[in-house]
Amino acid sequence: MVTAPGKLVLLGEYAVLDGFPAIVAAVNRRASGQFVPGRSPESELVDVAVQNAKEALGPNRSALPRGSVLVDTAAFSLNGTKMGIGSSAATAAVTVGAVLEMAGLSVTESTDLIFDVASAAHRAAQGGLGSGADVAAAVYGGMLHYTRAAGGPATIRRLPPLAGVEMVVFATGTPSSTVDCLQAVAAFAKKSPETHRQLLPPIADAVTRFEAGLFARDAAEIFASISAAHLGMEMLGQAAGVPIVTPVLAHAALVASEVGGASKPSGAGGGDVGIAFLPDPEAADEFRVRARDLGLGILDLFVDPTGISRI
């Protein structure tokens, strides 16, 4: 059996689809997958990932029995509602990993192959959408700088952990469809390409500022980059006519600012999960109290340094 973590996109949503960088972090909710002989695929994603993994094995696939992968993503839901922390990306990763494991390959020594196969399967199951950043988090773990030029390979660089900053992850209680948000923004880009191009650089610049603050251990620069990313996502959503920053996410960002930090949506926005960055434990505690008063659920999530692994 193999397991892989979920993800939070800290910065760079939407812009990463146009070749700009993103920062993504693996988190401590894990999916598991096990190849079961004779089993039928439970979803289109699992079916595509199994077939892609078999093709990647080449002649070795003949040794595999007929079957599919049993995937468990229960840890990615809260009270029956998905949290929006990358369950589909983790599903793709553990499915591919389980097929390779069944064929006798070491999962931990095949991470590059698993990423390539799983990200292609994940993108195919989403109608050709998706950058692969969330799959990278599931496969490699930790906090990553991720870039993928159009039609080219991904460039993935591991980043140091956050220091001197408290991270609080919260659930809005409203599920959001990543594919729907991506499709809405893609339609806007096709309709108004020049406006779309003008809205992406501020989101990408926030990634550069965050990374500089991370290496310098400059909390003020980290907070400024998060605020800039939040504003950039809000402006993109308004232009595209899609609620990337919902009223509750906007309110959470205001609360984070009032206690000395900053907050933004994770992933495609529209609901699901937000992330707040606060200056110290006291500010983090105050944000948690006020967030609960808003009806937000506080999630016990932290960066998971371990990517896909065998158990």
Side-chain angles (χ1 to χ4, degrees):
M1 180 180 293
V2 298
T3 70
K7 59 82 188 175
L8 295 171
V9 181
L10 303 188
L11 297 104
E13 300 91 330
Y14 297 103
V16 70
L17 296 172
D18 286 70
F20 291 104
I23 294 177
V24 61
V27 293
N28 59 314
R29 298 292 178 97
R30 301 184 71 90
S32 65
Q34 182 172 11
F35 190 92
V36 179
R39 181 178 176 82
S40 297
E42 60 192 54
S43 67
E44 178 188 1
L45 173 57
V46 170
D47 188 22
V48 173
V50 168
Q51 296 308 315
N52 284 11
K54 288 181 177 179
E55 290 176 9
L57 288 170
N60 293 332
R61 66 181 175 181
S62 61
L64 282 172
R66 294 177 62 86
S68 189
V69 176
L70 173 63
V71 179
D72 181 0
T73 57
F76 290 70
S77 296
L78 180 67
N79 300 324
T81 301
K82 76 178 187 71
M83 290 186 286
I85 56 171
S87 61
S88 62
T91 292
V94 298
T95 298
V96 174
V99 172
L100 299 191
E101 179 189 49
M102 190 69 180
L105 275 67
S106 167
V107 170
T108 55
E109 294 177 6
S110 305
T111 51
D112 291 346
L113 175 60
I114 292 172
F115 170 72
D116 288 341
V117 176
S119 60
H122 189 243
R123 191 161 50 251
Q126 292 191 150
L129 297 170
S131 67
D134 44 5
V135 180
V139 173
Y140 296 106
M143 189 157 60
L144 308 170
H145 179 281
Y146 182 94
T147 308
R148 184 171 221 148
T155 300
I156 303 168
R157 177 162 46 85
R158 190 171 296 278
L159 296 174
L162 281 168
V165 175
E166 300 288 321
M167 186 175 79
V168 178
V169 185
F170 56 89
T172 67
T174 302
S176 175
S177 169
T178 296
V179 172
D180 288 350
C181 290
L182 293 179
Q183 287 177 339
V185 172
F188 163 66
K190 185 176 181 179
K191 178 182 178 182
S192 305
E194 184 58 33
T195 304
H196 177 257
R197 280 193 295 269
Q198 292 173 355
L199 289 169
L200 294 184
I203 298 175
D205 290 346
V207 175
T208 302
R209 294 186 66 181
F210 181 92
E211 190 169 2
L214 183 68
F215 279 100
R217 298 194 174 189
D218 185 342
E221 186 67 0
I222 288 175
F223 300 149
S225 71
I226 295 299
S227 295
H230 176 90
L231 178 60
M233 293 179 73
E234 186 173 39
M235 293 178 66
L236 178 62
Q238 289 172 351
V242 58
I244 292 173
V245 176
T246 62
V248 70
L249 287 167
H251 201 161
L254 177 62
V255 170
S257 176
E258 289 173 347
V259 298
S263 174
K264 63 176 290 294
S266 173
D272 280 338
V273 169
I275 319 167
F277 296 82
L278 292 314
D280 51 50
E282 292 74 23
D285 286 343
E286 184 176 351
F287 176 83
R288 291 186 184 97
V289 170
R290 294 182 61 179
R292 290 190 180 99
D293 290 341
L294 292 175
L296 301 175
I298 302 300
L299 303 177
D300 183 22
L301 293 180
F302 52 83
V303 177
D304 188 340
T306 305
I308 193 166
S309 59
R310 183 180 183 276
I311 59 173

